[in-house]
Each structure stands twice: as C-alpha cells, then as structure tokens.
Amino acid sequence: MTNSVVIAIDGTAACGKGTLARRLARHYGFAHLDSGALYRLVALGVIEAMRDPSNEADALRAAGAIDLTRAGDPKIRSDVVGQASSKVAAIPAVRAALLQFQRDFARTPPGNSLGAVIDGRDIGTVIAPDAPAKLFVDARPDVRARRRQMELEGMGISRSEADLVAELTARDAADKSRPVSPLKQAPDADLLDTSDLGIDAAFAAALALVSPKVAKVLQSALKDRHRG
Ligand code: CDP
C-alpha cells in the first residue's frame, strides 16, 4: 500500500484553480483530476436527456451513466452546463455517487503516480481531508469574469463581463450555501488570491506555498514505494 501525496485545490468559480492544478501536476509528475468536470459531465447528461438538473432522479440517472471519455468535450465548458452543474452538485445523492471515484483517485492515482492534484470545491474538506498540501484559491469577481470571458471567446462564445460577474457570483453563492459539501476554505488550507497575478506568478506563489508541505511527505511516499 503506497502513501499517495495529495495536493487539494479548492476555490471559487473561474479563479484559475484548474490551470494551477495542471501545472502543479506537471511539475511533480502527479496525476491531475478536475473534479468539476465530473459535475459538468453529469449536468451535460441531464441536459442532453432534456431533463431537470435540480431533479434528484434525473441527476442521479446521469451520474450513473457518466461518460469520462467526454471530460475533454468543450461542450461541458459552456456556461449553461456550468449553471446546471452547480444544481446537480447540490444534490447529496449525486455527490455520494461521485465520492468513491474521487477518493480512489486520491489514494491510488492512475499511471502509478506518487501523488495527485485534485481541484474542486470540497477536496480539502471532504474528498481528501488528510491531504498534506491544500490551497484555497480566489480572485476578485471582475478578474474572474474577464478570465472566463477569454476562455469562452476561445470557444467562439461572446459574453459581457457584467453577465459573467452575475453568473459566477450566483454560482459561488449557491456553492457556498448548499447544506452538503459547501465551498469553504479548510482550516489548514493556504489562501491564494490570484487577482493581481498572471499565470506564471500565480504558479510560483502556489508552488511556494505547497512545496515545503509536499517535500515533507514525498520522502516517505518514495520510501513506501521502494519497500512495496
Ligand atoms: O471552472 P469553474 O471554476 O467555473 O467550475 P468547475 O470547477 O468546473 O465546477 C463546476 C461546478 O461543479 C461548481 O460550480 C460546483 O457547483 C460543482 N463542483 C462541486 O460541487 N464540487 C467539486 N468538487 C467540483 C465542482
């Protein structure tokens, strides 16, 4: 049994946690899981079946039929799917259905990796509460809206900054106030505000926060690996 090193990254919508998680994973050679993609895939399934994302039976059916091969499908990045994902994510049975997959990924990362970087809303609080390194990422709503605007532009979708501020803040409010696994900073997570940081500066700041913690446990993970 190896001792996987988990870096948990939670944060508000479009705060840049996905980019940071991918870069940290590449830096350490760890596996990366974008847990938001799971909820987005469930939402896409509900939308494609023309059902109601707030309806437990509809959402649960989609969660049971989740197609992970579509995680790279640009369709899941649309704001319609984003809003629906927040609705399915508030349903406890949906979260329960996705829990084991995420915990297994944390414990036994694919590709024989020594560790995993997982980003989402409840990684440091629920999925991997024992993770040695945790970040809570945030940025001002106008900054996040502009980042999302550029991302959507790349997909040929044009949205006003004001609309996006409204959408992101409404989704954050829903994610923070739901009774099950709400978005919140774990007590042992480091806060990283990326409002005034470009991608490289944000990555450097993230690395400075997590590297002492990762270094501490990486040694024992390596020893376990050689013993096992
Ligand atoms: O990319 P963005 O930050 O806008 O969102 P995402 O990380 O893809 O997550 C989409 C939605 O899924 C969030 O608004 C949450 O409602 C939900 N989610 C969650 O509840 N728990 C997670 N671990 C990840 C996402």
Side-chain angles (χ1 to χ4, degrees):
M1 173 72 193
T2 56
N3 200 358
S4 142
V5 180
V6 178
I7 303 176
I9 307 188
D10 292 303
T12 49
C15 66
K17 59 195 175 314
T19 306
L20 285 177
R22 268 190 302 278
R23 287 191 63 164
L24 285 169
R26 208 184 318 136
H27 177 84
Y28 285 110
F30 289 176
H32 170 227
L33 176 64
D34 165 10
S35 68
L38 303 176
Y39 294 92
R40 287 175 178 269
L41 283 167
V42 173
L44 182 68
V46 176
I47 289 168
E48 287 184 342
M50 289 189 288
R51 312 300 294 199
D52 174 8
S54 298
N55 179 280
E56 179 176 302
D58 290 343
L60 210 47
R61 198 172 306 115
I66 197 167
D67 180 1
L68 292 175
T69 63
R70 292 185 76 185
D73 189 334
K75 271 191 197 159
I76 69 165
R77 298 290 149 203
S78 78
D79 48 341
V80 174
V81 172
Q83 283 168 40
S85 66
S86 191
K87 291 182 182 158
V88 301
I91 301 172
V94 169
R95 304 199 74 84
L98 300 179
L99 184 75
Q100 203 53 48
F101 174 80
Q102 296 175 82
R103 288 220 171 123
D104 288 348
F105 193 103
R107 266 189 218 124
T108 318
N112 210 23
S113 304
L114 268 181
V117 185
I118 310 182
D119 68 278
R121 301 293 186 287
D122 62 342
I123 309 306
T125 51
V126 175
I127 301 298
D130 297 332
K134 298 180 185 179
L135 290 178
F136 190 86
V137 187
D138 201 0
R140 288 192 306 273
D142 60 312
V143 174
R144 295 191 278 125
R146 277 197 298 279
R147 288 180 187 156
R148 185 48 47 96
Q149 195 177 35
M150 280 170 61
E151 197 185 324
L152 290 171
E153 258 166 27
M155 292 163 51
I157 301 166
S158 162
R159 293 287 307 277
S160 77
E161 190 187 316
D163 268 10
L164 287 169
V165 166
E167 195 265 310
L168 297 176
T169 49
R171 191 144 58 83
D172 288 343
D175 289 346
K176 286 176 182 172
S177 65
R178 67 183 174 218
V180 60
S181 296
L183 167 64
K184 64 170 183 231
Q185 183 176 351
D188 53 347
D190 290 308
L191 178 65
L192 175 59
D193 189 318
T194 65
S195 299
D196 301 313
L197 303 177
I199 291 177
D200 289 340
F203 174 65
L207 196 57
L209 290 169
V210 303
S211 65
K213 298 176 177 182
V214 171
K216 256 191 206 164
V217 286
L218 207 50
Q219 283 304 326
S220 69
L222 274 166
K223 269 190 215 138
D224 277 3
R225 174 68 55 98
H226 287 126
R227 236 182 270 132

